[in-house]
Amino acid sequence: MVAGRSLGLVLFFIALRPGSAAPPGEPSQEGQCVRCCDPPTRYPESRRGGPSPLYPTPHVYPHINITILKGDKGDRGERGSNGKVGKEGAMGLRGPSGAKGDRGHAGMPGGPNKQHYSAFSVGRKKGLHSSDYYQTLVFDTTFVNLHGHFNMFKGKFYCYVPGVYYFNLNIHTWNFKETYLHIMKNDQDMAICYAQPSDRSIMQSQSIMLELQHNDEVWVRLYKRERENAVYSDDVDTYVTFNGYLIKASLD
């Protein structure tokens, strides 16, 4: 399109240019249309001695706009590798509640609810002076003796329900006399309750938790050394108490 426009401008310019005066003996070309494609013999010779056209032949340079050329669609390429994982997005809104499910089947019937109890609380209203190196503290007053697990005649608690038990001993000392007792499990001393001789009598207490098996025995023993060992009480008030109860049975 550019070449065609340039050629049209040249032809227009040549058509409007007036003809040159013809040399003597040659017919005048004034008023005639001179074409650029005519042979050079029809034009006057140049001053350099050779025939040349009055106007040079224009050169046409073709130009193709490659951007307007479009080929056929190519084949689809292979899929590329996966990109990197992006950042975690914000937590979305909570969705609506689902429909209520069907009611489940009833379970198997359970066994009978078995609860185990064992407890005692006993006291002594009479004072006691130990007459032997080892002497069992016997009690004469019963406050609680559930199922008769405490033997008042022997002064011992017998375990019929295995488990963990809590025991507590409270005694009153005698003036100027030593007080020396042990909470016993079978034949083993587990805890001591002791007070030195003093001109003032005081209350002493000891507590312990024990894990017992069936037929284990728990009792209180007086221990006599060189000095006299005694606990105080009277017929009016109860100064000596021994308590115990089941915390958790091993059968549960």
Side-chain angles (χ1 to χ4, degrees):
M1 182 180 294
V2 175
R5 184 179 298 175
S6 301
L7 182 58
L9 292 175
V10 173
L11 295 177
F12 180 78
F13 178 75
I14 296 174
L16 295 179
R17 179 179 176 84
S20 303
E26 292 291 335
S28 175
Q29 298 181 356
E30 184 177 358
Q32 298 182 1
C33 180
V34 180
R35 297 180 302 176
C36 61
C37 57
D38 289 340
T41 54
R42 298 184 56 186
Y43 300 95
E45 296 180 356
S46 64
R47 294 181 181 180
R48 295 182 181 178
S52 61
L54 294 176
Y55 306 100
T57 304
H59 297 281
V60 180
Y61 299 95
H63 174 73
I64 300 176
N65 188 0
I66 301 178
T67 59
I68 65 175
L69 298 179
K70 185 176 180 181
D72 297 334
K73 185 176 181 181
D75 298 334
R76 185 174 182 178
E78 298 180 358
R79 183 176 182 179
S81 58
N82 295 332
K84 296 182 179 179
V85 179
K87 296 182 179 179
E88 184 177 357
M91 185 176 181
L93 299 177
R94 184 176 181 179
S97 301
K100 186 176 180 180
D102 298 333
R103 186 175 182 180
H105 298 289
M108 298 294 295
N113 185 14
K114 295 182 179 180
Q115 294 182 348
H116 304 277
Y117 301 97
S118 181
F120 72 91
S121 180
V122 295
R124 183 181 176 93
K125 289 183 175 293
K126 297 180 180 180
L128 178 65
H129 291 76
S130 61
S131 58
D132 201 351
Y133 285 104
Y134 299 108
Q135 183 176 350
T136 303
L137 181 60
V138 180
F139 300 88
D140 53 25
T141 303
T142 302
F143 300 107
V144 174
N145 189 9
L146 195 62
H147 306 305
H149 291 176
F150 191 90
N151 190 317
M152 295 294 293
F153 179 76
K154 295 183 177 180
K156 294 183 178 182
F157 169 77
Y158 290 89
C159 177
Y160 294 100
V161 182
V164 178
Y165 286 78
Y166 172 82
F167 296 95
N168 170 256
L169 173 65
N170 300 282
I171 57 98
H172 191 279
T173 64
W174 207 308
N175 294 359
F176 304 106
K177 295 182 181 180
E178 186 179 42
T179 302
Y180 200 147
L181 301 94
H182 287 101
I183 298 178
M184 305 291 294
K185 176 184 175 182
N186 300 325
D187 293 330
Q188 182 180 2
D189 54 332
M190 306 302 296
I192 187 174
C193 185
Y194 178 79
Q196 293 181 341
S198 174
D199 58 347
R200 294 182 179 181
S201 62
I202 59 174
M203 292 292 297
Q204 290 286 86
S205 179
Q206 180 63 279
S207 301
I208 189 173
M209 294 176 63
L210 298 174
E211 185 174 4
L212 303 180
Q213 303 298 327
H214 192 265
N215 289 331
D216 280 344
E217 302 175 3
V218 180
W219 51 288
V220 180
R221 183 187 70 180
L222 281 79
Y223 177 53
K224 180 183 177 181
R225 300 191 296 181
E226 292 80 8
R227 291 175 291 192
E228 188 177 7
N229 185 10
V231 292
Y232 176 82
S233 190
D234 58 33
D235 295 337
V236 178
D237 297 317
T238 303
Y239 287 88
V240 181
T241 60
F242 184 38
N243 313 287
Y245 58 87
L246 175 66
I247 296 177
K248 186 179 187 308
S250 301
L251 301 178
D252 291 347

